[in-house]
Amino acid sequence: MTSNLSLPIPYGKQNITTSDIESVVNVLTSSHLTQGSVHEEFENALAVHLQSQHAVVFNSATSALHIACLTLGLSEGDLLWTSPTTFVASSNCALYCGADIDFVDIDIETGLMSIVALEHKLVEAEKQGKLPKIVVPVHLAGTSCDMKSISLLAQKYNFKVIEDASHAIGGSFLQQPVGCCQFSDISVFSFHPVKIITTGEGGCLSTNSDAIASQAKLLRSHGITKSEIMFSNKSPGSWYYEQQFLGFNYRMSDINAALGLSQLSRLESIVKERHEINAYYQNNLDHPNLAFQRQETSTYSSLHLCIIRLVGHDSSPANHKFLFEGLRNSQILVQLHYLPVHLQPYYQSLGFKKGQFPNSEAFAQSALSIPIFPGLSKQQQDYICDKISDLTNQIYDH
Ligand SMILES: *Cc1c(COP(=O)(O)O)cnc(C)c1O
């Protein structure tokens, strides 16, 4: 084995350069570790990149989703809908606000919220007077949902839209960056180390609404304002501040922001390298029983994940398990994105049942995320292709 075939191979991994390290060290040796100017610089750079009016950074995407829901007025008695094929944070944010949650099934070829299922569910919900206040489409693997269709439905059925774009920075939809919010109220991104760019832990929301951005900034820091024009009372002196809402400590430190700022400058090349790896896989894993996530021509994915599925005859849960465990035994740390949220014990305790979202359940029994990240060597890519081909042949060609 050559030294470039380093095992085990994770499904995703951060990419840290010496300029990232310098950027963080500069903050560590400055006077402010947290609320200096660097998180604002990062916010400005994000807004430029996303082509939106405002970016507001948080200590995680989960915090950003929570605050996004609050700024749109989500509370007890309201409903939020999202896709079951996602990380639990996309739906937990509704429960934090005391609202109820429901799911819209996916299109099995894309793994994204099905527009047909969404429209059907809206028609039924309208009859019952149970329309959602917010819908959260999830851009699985960095591939944008059909935001144009979702925004037309949002106008017709009067709901708000938060894009869970945790996977999707660097992707685009109809030639515009995901996060420009042309078709949504808010977009949320994650900067967890396994995502496209990282701040250690962190996230942000993007919006074109001045009101949402300023409320989000208040809520991430206890609901406290120090700005005189916003005071309810007359200021008795320069020490004065007001808590006006029940907020949180969801701030991002300048240490984290410095890492994000440095990473953001490499975003384009990071996504390009992911596309090269994905193309290599597509050329070398040409098998009738292996399908890659379908990509519409309207989207350019950030390729946070490379999801392949076993399809056709013999695509049974047992064969899925055989492939999954065969790869793990070869030290290729494939992962499943995602176990459907409604099947989690906590969600079952809320009343969700197996069988309610069949495409999402079938997706989880056929999909696996294979390694994709900048720095994955050609030897590693070849090793992965060989193992997948071997195991697939053992399943199908006997
Ligand atoms: C990672 C992720 C989140 C949560 O991000 P954190 O920054 O870890 O809070 C939310 N939604 C999706 C789809 C994710 O993948």
Side-chain angles (χ1 to χ4, degrees), residues 47 50-56 163 176-177 179-187 205-214:
L50 301 172
Q51 294 176 26
S52 72
Q53 292 301 309
H54 307 276
V56 183
E163 298 175 59
Q176 286 183 295
C180 72
C181 297
Q182 189 192 339
F183 300 111
S184 66
D185 298 279
I186 300 174
S187 301
L205 70 74
S206 168
T207 183
N208 292 319
S209 155
D210 298 345
I212 288 173
S214 66

Side-chain angles (χ1 to χ4, degrees), residues 60-62 65 86-87 89-90 138 164 166-167 190 192 195 202 338:
S60 71
T62 303
L65 283 164
T86 187
F87 185 58
S90 318
V138 179
D164 186 340
S166 289
H167 300 178
S190 171
H192 181 277
K195 306 290 163 74
Y338 285 94

Side-chain angles (χ1 to χ4, degrees), residues 97-300:
C97 300
D100 292 320
I101 183 83
D102 204 353
F103 299 96
V104 180
D105 209 354
I106 57 166
D107 174 322
I108 198 158
E109 289 180 29
T110 60
L112 305 174
M113 182 179 282
S114 154
I115 303 302
V116 174
L118 175 61
E119 184 157 23
H120 180 75
K121 198 172 173 102
L122 286 165
V123 169
E124 292 304 308
E126 188 175 42
K127 286 183 200 153
Q128 296 167 16
K130 285 165 79 175
L131 285 168
K133 183 163 197 159
I134 299 177
V135 172
V136 178
V138 179
H139 302 326
L140 184 75
T143 305
S144 179
C145 296
D146 178 357
M147 292 311 301
K148 199 170 179 181
S149 300
I150 291 171
S151 104
L152 288 171
L153 291 169
Q155 286 162 32
K156 183 164 174 197
Y157 291 96
N158 197 29
F159 58 82
K160 304 282 187 191
V161 179
I162 300 173
E163 298 175 59
D164 186 340
S166 289
H167 300 178
I169 198 164
S172 62
F173 176 69
L174 294 177
Q175 319 292 336
Q176 286 183 295
V178 171
C180 72
C181 297
Q182 189 192 339
F183 300 111
S184 66
D185 298 279
I186 300 174
S187 301
V188 168
F189 297 90
S190 171
F191 306 129
H192 181 277
V194 90
K195 306 290 163 74
I196 299 279
I197 60 169
T198 188
T199 59
E201 293 276 3
C204 84
L205 70 74
S206 168
T207 183
N208 292 319
S209 155
D210 298 345
I212 288 173
S214 66
Q215 213 202 344
K217 285 181 185 174
L218 277 181
L219 286 169
R220 85 174 158 188
S221 194
H222 308 280
I224 287 175
T225 180
K226 292 177 184 158
S227 146
E228 187 156 4
I229 50 162
M230 294 180 71
F231 289 161
S232 314
N233 300 324
K234 190 173 154 31
S235 169
S238 57
W239 60 86
Y240 188 67
Y241 61 87
E242 284 186 355
Q243 182 189 345
Q244 301 182 326
F245 306 94
L246 183 61
F248 305 85
N249 181 353
Y250 280 175
R251 295 184 304 258
M252 175 185 284
S253 81
D254 278 25
I255 303 171
N256 300 82
L259 179 55
L261 196 54
S262 177
Q263 293 245 314
L264 184 62
S265 68
R266 292 200 307 284
L267 178 60
E268 222 173 290
S269 68
I270 289 172
V271 173
K272 188 165 163 270
E273 189 168 343
R274 288 172 175 277
H275 273 266
E276 286 162 7
I277 297 167
N278 189 63
Y280 193 77
Y281 283 149
Q282 292 203 332
N283 288 333
N284 289 282
L285 291 174
D286 190 13
H287 190 286
N289 296 102
L290 284 181
F292 284 77
Q293 181 188 25
R294 196 181 75 221
Q295 304 285 341
E296 308 294 350
T297 53
S298 53
T299 65
Y300 176 74

Side-chain angles (χ1 to χ4, degrees), residues 340-353:
V341 177
H342 70 284
L343 298 183
Q344 292 292 345
Y346 179 76
Y347 280 83
Q348 299 261 297
S349 79
L350 300 178
F352 290 100
K353 299 267 182 297

Side-chain angles (χ1 to χ4, degrees), residues 13-24:
K13 192 174 135 197
Q14 71 275 15
N15 172 264
I16 302 291
T17 63
T18 51
S19 41
D20 290 343
I21 293 166
E22 277 167 23
S23 175
V24 173

